[in-house]
Amino acid sequence: MSILMRLGEPGQMEPSTMQRPAETNIDDAVAHEQRVYESSNPTSRRKFEAAKEVLPGGNTRGSLYFDPFPLFFQSARSSKVIDADGHEYSDFGNDLTAALFGHSNEAIVAALKAGLDNGMSYGGTHDHEVAFAREIRHRFRSIERVRFLTSGTEANLAAIRLAKAETGRGLVLGFFGGYHGNVLNWLEPKSEMNVDRADVRLARFNHIETVEQIVRDEGKDIAAILVEPIMGSAGGFVAETTFLSRLRSICDEIGALLIFDEVQTARFALGGYQSVIGVYPNLTTLGKFFGGGLNFGALGGAARHMDRLGPGHARMLSHGGTFSNNVLTMIAGHAALKKVFVQENVDRLNSRSNELRSALLRRANTRGVPLQLGSFGSLISTHFQAEMPRGPEDVKTPAIFRKLFQLFMINNGIFITRRGQFTVSMANTEDEFSALENAFDRFLDRYGELTDDYR
Ligand SMILES: Cc1ncc(COP(=O)(O)O)c(C=O)c1O
């Protein structure tokens, strides 16, 4: 839309939507899309350069950066985001899954407005946290008690600490490519930002023999297995159900706790993805959309484990957090669960997203372009390759092709992040699905053959 709106203005680049012979190689293709992007977004570029004076690399949240420079957003409403150059995009980035309800959902905003005048941070216990926790407990079979926190990272840190305390053991078994927060980033396991590096053992996702090997060697020291039931940030790899069931039985055999990081996957069903696959963890971590759009994290599980976090327990693990029960977050999260994240809306989102998946696959198949769509339902991870990846090591789509795809989509009015995931929200409209499918057609026509270079 944005680029189309600017057609005919003096000095404008040729938009990437116009038919012309396909670039013969990926470098030329990226150079073309980048020229279009740069010439269309001078204000974002200027703001990005200025931001570097006060923010490291002009950035606050690493996952939002992409080269040559990220868009600066001015506002967001429902399913649209508007950037500093005035372009309006259909938002299929949706805050890296956090904006499940779209932007400024009316029911959530109404609840927040009603709450705002009564104080933004009580510094005391209140009904909203109890009501919200009760609703989560009602939905999740594996959750009896909830500890609220302020981020998914914090939830996973607390889960690990609790598991270590409960088992009296020191190791955590996770997976290469798992992302559990900014200090539990196993996409980059050696990063010095990661905590507890010496206490973490990493196996290969969907390769149970690598788990069993670690368990054979060090099983008696393992406090927990921490896993995303669908590996999200790394590329939407769906865990085979037998893999997760085996993790469940291994934990039972060795006396470790199974932790499901459902920060992304809880969106797939009211009771989380665990209710879809029928494998239940000891502890579950939640985040992102669950706070209704405000800062959020939560840890839930059986009372016998969770109660150690509470005052009065003989072996209490003392654990605070200034904004953990922030009244606005509790109001927003509770309103979201009661009014928006309801069965009918989840069903509609899943089925519409599945139709979108089929449409994208059909379009690629017709043209003989290899396409795999990872993840589940409303999270659609694109991999332009012949085989569906089961884990990070199976990804063949090169970073430069992802760059091409993202810049093309942005140049065509569809906002997605560099990782190439369509994140569908409850606010996305039929017009936007059509616009996305049409842009995808044009992308395939123009650049689909470039996949020959690496497949
Ligand atoms: C699966 C998963 N776990 C945990 C986190 C960390 O959550 P937060 O960014 O709120 O700390 C993320 C964030 O992307 C995530 O995707």
Side-chain angles (χ1 to χ4, degrees), residues 61 96-97 150-154 156 179-182 228 230 232-233 261-265 285 287-288 296-297 419:
R61 188 175 161 198
L96 289 114
T97 79
T150 48
S151 68
T153 304
E154 240 193 304
N156 283 310
Y179 184 82
H180 304 284
N182 54 23
E228 295 167 83
I230 295 178
S233 305
D261 179 339
E262 289 234 43
V263 166
Q264 289 199 19
T265 56
T285 54
K288 293 196 185 277
F296 180 78
R419 62 178 72 144

Tab-separated table of all heavy atoms in Angstrom, residues 61 96-97 150-154 156 179-182 228 230 232-233 261-265 285 287-288 296-297 419, ligand 1:
chain	number	residue	atom	x	y	z
A	61	ARG	N	15.908	-3.607	21.466
A	61	ARG	CA	15.481	-5.016	21.471
A	61	ARG	C	16.083	-5.681	20.236
A	61	ARG	O	15.622	-5.438	19.116
A	61	ARG	CB	13.954	-5.004	21.425
A	61	ARG	CG	13.281	-6.310	21.595
A	61	ARG	CD	11.774	-6.056	21.646
A	61	ARG	NE	11.017	-7.238	21.381
A	61	ARG	CZ	9.734	-7.250	21.028
A	61	ARG	NH1	9.070	-6.114	20.922
A	61	ARG	NH2	9.111	-8.376	20.799
A	96	LEU	N	6.355	-9.945	17.111
A	96	LEU	CA	6.975	-11.264	17.314
A	96	LEU	C	6.101	-12.166	18.191
A	96	LEU	O	6.572	-12.770	19.148
A	96	LEU	CB	8.385	-11.107	17.895
A	96	LEU	CG	9.380	-10.550	16.878
A	96	LEU	CD1	9.846	-9.163	17.297
A	96	LEU	CD2	10.599	-11.444	16.762
A	97	THR	N	4.842	-12.179	17.881
A	97	THR	CA	3.785	-13.027	18.457
A	97	THR	C	3.055	-12.399	19.655
A	97	THR	O	2.024	-12.903	20.074
A	97	THR	CB	4.248	-14.463	18.879
A	97	THR	OG1	4.930	-14.403	20.126
A	97	THR	CG2	5.131	-15.114	17.834
A	150	THR	N	7.433	-10.411	35.094
A	150	THR	CA	7.309	-9.329	34.108
A	150	THR	C	7.810	-9.681	32.716
A	150	THR	O	7.726	-8.859	31.807
A	150	THR	CB	8.057	-8.067	34.587
A	150	THR	OG1	9.334	-8.446	35.029
A	150	THR	CG2	7.310	-7.378	35.692
A	151	SER	N	8.364	-10.859	32.531
A	151	SER	CA	8.794	-11.239	31.176
A	151	SER	C	8.883	-12.762	31.084
A	151	SER	O	8.955	-13.457	32.111
A	151	SER	CB	10.167	-10.636	30.852
A	151	SER	OG	11.155	-11.239	31.652
A	152	GLY	N	8.931	-13.232	29.857
A	152	GLY	CA	9.121	-14.660	29.638
A	152	GLY	C	10.482	-15.114	30.135
A	152	GLY	O	10.634	-16.228	30.661
A	153	THR	N	11.473	-14.254	29.969
A	153	THR	CA	12.815	-14.578	30.465
A	153	THR	C	12.764	-14.868	31.954
A	153	THR	O	13.282	-15.894	32.432
A	153	THR	CB	13.767	-13.373	30.235
A	153	THR	OG1	13.772	-13.033	28.860
A	153	THR	CG2	15.171	-13.672	30.706
A	154	GLU	N	12.132	-13.959	32.671
A	154	GLU	CA	12.057	-14.111	34.126
A	154	GLU	C	11.303	-15.379	34.510
A	154	GLU	O	11.660	-16.057	35.486
A	154	GLU	CB	11.291	-12.915	34.684
A	154	GLU	CG	12.059	-12.072	35.661
A	154	GLU	CD	11.105	-11.132	36.366
A	154	GLU	OE1	10.395	-10.376	35.673
A	154	GLU	OE2	11.068	-11.173	37.593
A	156	ASN	N	11.166	-18.164	32.838
A	156	ASN	CA	12.032	-19.339	32.651
A	156	ASN	C	13.135	-19.394	33.703
A	156	ASN	O	13.499	-20.480	34.170
A	156	ASN	CB	12.605	-19.341	31.232
A	156	ASN	CG	11.571	-19.809	30.227
A	156	ASN	OD1	10.942	-20.848	30.422
A	156	ASN	ND2	11.349	-19.047	29.173
A	179	TYR	N	15.010	-20.812	22.430
A	179	TYR	CA	15.103	-19.430	22.926
A	179	TYR	C	14.152	-19.304	24.107
A	179	TYR	O	12.944	-19.452	23.970
A	179	TYR	CB	14.743	-18.399	21.847
A	179	TYR	CG	14.949	-16.992	22.360
A	179	TYR	CD1	16.215	-16.404	22.351
A	179	TYR	CD2	13.895	-16.266	22.914
A	179	TYR	CE1	16.421	-15.124	22.864
A	179	TYR	CE2	14.096	-14.986	23.433
A	179	TYR	CZ	15.356	-14.427	23.401
A	179	TYR	OH	15.565	-13.164	23.923
A	180	HIS	N	14.742	-19.034	25.272
A	180	HIS	CA	13.930	-18.931	26.490
A	180	HIS	C	14.103	-17.581	27.164
A	180	HIS	O	13.731	-17.423	28.319
A	180	HIS	CB	14.298	-20.070	27.445
A	180	HIS	CG	14.158	-21.425	26.827
A	180	HIS	ND1	12.937	-22.031	26.625
A	180	HIS	CD2	15.079	-22.280	26.303
A	180	HIS	CE1	13.117	-23.208	26.022
A	180	HIS	NE2	14.407	-23.382	25.813
A	181	GLY	N	14.719	-16.641	26.453
A	181	GLY	CA	14.885	-15.308	27.007
A	181	GLY	C	16.256	-14.765	26.697
A	181	GLY	O	17.128	-15.467	26.183
A	182	ASN	N	16.437	-13.485	27.048
A	182	ASN	CA	17.676	-12.825	26.619
A	182	ASN	C	18.920	-13.307	27.355
A	182	ASN	O	20.035	-12.992	26.945
A	182	ASN	CB	17.526	-11.299	26.692
A	182	ASN	CG	17.086	-10.827	28.061
A	182	ASN	OD1	17.278	-11.507	29.061
A	182	ASN	ND2	16.485	-9.645	28.115
A	228	GLU	N	10.705	-25.794	24.323
A	228	GLU	CA	9.564	-25.187	23.637
A	228	GLU	C	8.896	-26.326	22.865
A	228	GLU	O	9.551	-26.954	22.030
A	228	GLU	CB	10.031	-24.165	22.602
A	228	GLU	CG	10.726	-22.950	23.131
A	228	GLU	CD	11.419	-22.195	21.985
A	228	GLU	OE1	10.756	-21.420	21.293
A	228	GLU	OE2	12.632	-22.394	21.791
A	230	ILE	N	7.018	-26.220	20.462
A	230	ILE	CA	7.342	-25.892	19.065
A	230	ILE	C	8.454	-24.860	19.155
A	230	ILE	O	8.270	-23.799	19.769
A	230	ILE	CB	6.142	-25.318	18.306
A	230	ILE	CG1	5.042	-26.375	18.177
A	230	ILE	CG2	6.561	-24.824	16.911
A	230	ILE	CD1	3.776	-25.913	17.489
A	232	GLY	N	10.266	-21.873	18.523
A	232	GLY	CA	9.720	-20.705	17.842
A	232	GLY	C	10.739	-19.866	17.099
A	232	GLY	O	10.800	-19.873	15.862
A	233	SER	N	11.571	-19.139	17.852
A	233	SER	CA	12.461	-18.164	17.222
A	233	SER	C	13.402	-18.824	16.217
A	233	SER	O	13.775	-18.217	15.219
A	233	SER	CB	13.288	-17.445	18.292
A	233	SER	OG	12.437	-16.880	19.241
A	261	ASP	N	8.111	-24.356	27.826
A	261	ASP	CA	8.095	-22.924	27.569
A	261	ASP	C	7.004	-22.685	26.536
A	261	ASP	O	7.175	-22.941	25.343
A	261	ASP	CB	9.469	-22.486	27.046
A	261	ASP	CG	9.520	-21.005	26.731
A	261	ASP	OD1	8.451	-20.400	26.536
A	261	ASP	OD2	10.644	-20.466	26.642
A	262	GLU	N	5.861	-22.203	27.026
A	262	GLU	CA	4.711	-21.952	26.137
A	262	GLU	C	4.527	-20.453	25.889
A	262	GLU	O	3.408	-20.001	25.627
A	262	GLU	CB	3.441	-22.579	26.721
A	262	GLU	CG	3.432	-24.100	26.660
A	262	GLU	CD	2.187	-24.654	25.968
A	262	GLU	OE1	1.784	-24.105	24.912
A	262	GLU	OE2	1.623	-25.632	26.492
A	263	VAL	N	5.619	-19.712	26.003
A	263	VAL	CA	5.536	-18.265	25.792
A	263	VAL	C	4.954	-17.959	24.407
A	263	VAL	O	4.147	-17.046	24.250
A	263	VAL	CB	6.925	-17.622	25.988
A	263	VAL	CG1	6.970	-16.193	25.461
A	263	VAL	CG2	7.308	-17.645	27.468
A	264	GLN	N	5.343	-18.734	23.410
A	264	GLN	CA	4.756	-18.538	22.074
A	264	GLN	C	3.586	-19.477	21.818
A	264	GLN	O	2.597	-19.097	21.214
A	264	GLN	CB	5.823	-18.774	20.993
A	264	GLN	CG	6.875	-17.682	20.931
A	264	GLN	CD	7.632	-17.672	19.600
A	264	GLN	OE1	7.191	-18.216	18.597
A	264	GLN	NE2	8.786	-17.028	19.594
A	265	THR	N	3.699	-20.707	22.265
A	265	THR	CA	2.756	-21.738	21.804
A	265	THR	C	1.417	-21.744	22.534
A	265	THR	O	0.472	-22.386	22.077
A	265	THR	CB	3.380	-23.139	21.938
A	265	THR	OG1	3.777	-23.330	23.314
A	265	THR	CG2	4.597	-23.300	21.048
A	285	THR	N	5.820	-22.112	31.397
A	285	THR	CA	6.077	-20.671	31.408
A	285	THR	C	5.259	-20.003	30.308
A	285	THR	O	5.064	-20.546	29.222
A	285	THR	CB	7.576	-20.360	31.232
A	285	THR	OG1	8.069	-20.998	30.061
A	285	THR	CG2	8.366	-20.826	32.437
A	287	GLY	N	4.080	-15.936	28.553
A	287	GLY	CA	4.568	-14.563	28.361
A	287	GLY	C	3.859	-13.926	27.194
A	287	GLY	O	2.750	-14.303	26.811
A	288	LYS	N	4.489	-12.939	26.632
A	288	LYS	CA	4.023	-12.255	25.419
A	288	LYS	C	2.540	-11.901	25.487
A	288	LYS	O	2.139	-11.156	26.355
A	288	LYS	CB	4.354	-13.104	24.197
A	288	LYS	CG	5.882	-13.200	23.957
A	288	LYS	CD	6.183	-13.688	22.564
A	288	LYS	CE	7.662	-13.902	22.331
A	288	LYS	NZ	8.384	-12.684	21.984
A	296	PHE	N	4.780	-8.897	30.447
A	296	PHE	CA	4.193	-10.041	31.156
A	296	PHE	C	5.087	-11.264	31.125
A	296	PHE	O	5.788	-11.535	30.165
A	296	PHE	CB	2.845	-10.408	30.509
A	296	PHE	CG	2.157	-11.570	31.173
A	296	PHE	CD1	1.483	-11.389	32.368
A	296	PHE	CD2	2.221	-12.840	30.617
A	296	PHE	CE1	0.870	-12.466	32.998
A	296	PHE	CE2	1.608	-13.921	31.238
A	296	PHE	CZ	0.921	-13.731	32.433
A	297	GLY	N	5.022	-12.022	32.202
A	297	GLY	CA	5.568	-13.365	32.261
A	297	GLY	C	4.828	-14.103	33.363
A	297	GLY	O	4.281	-13.481	34.279
A	419	ARG	N	12.989	-12.910	10.266
A	419	ARG	CA	13.005	-14.379	10.299
A	419	ARG	C	11.985	-14.996	9.337
A	419	ARG	O	11.926	-16.208	9.169
A	419	ARG	CB	12.855	-14.900	11.720
A	419	ARG	CG	11.589	-14.560	12.427
A	419	ARG	CD	11.534	-15.176	13.836
A	419	ARG	NE	12.437	-14.529	14.769
A	419	ARG	CZ	12.182	-14.325	16.066
A	419	ARG	NH1	11.058	-14.744	16.583
A	419	ARG	NH2	13.057	-13.723	16.840
B	1	LIG	C1	9.653	-19.221	23.575
B	1	LIG	C2	10.101	-17.982	24.270
B	1	LIG	N1	10.427	-18.042	25.562
B	1	LIG	C3	10.799	-16.963	26.257
B	1	LIG	C4	10.912	-15.742	25.638
B	1	LIG	C5	11.372	-14.550	26.414
B	1	LIG	O1	10.311	-13.709	26.702
B	1	LIG	P1	10.599	-12.170	27.025
B	1	LIG	O2	11.127	-11.547	25.780
B	1	LIG	O3	9.273	-11.648	27.468
B	1	LIG	O4	11.596	-12.150	28.130
B	1	LIG	C6	10.594	-15.620	24.284
B	1	LIG	C7	10.706	-14.326	23.599
B	1	LIG	O5	10.814	-14.226	22.406
B	1	LIG	C8	10.181	-16.771	23.588
B	1	LIG	O6	9.868	-16.720	22.279
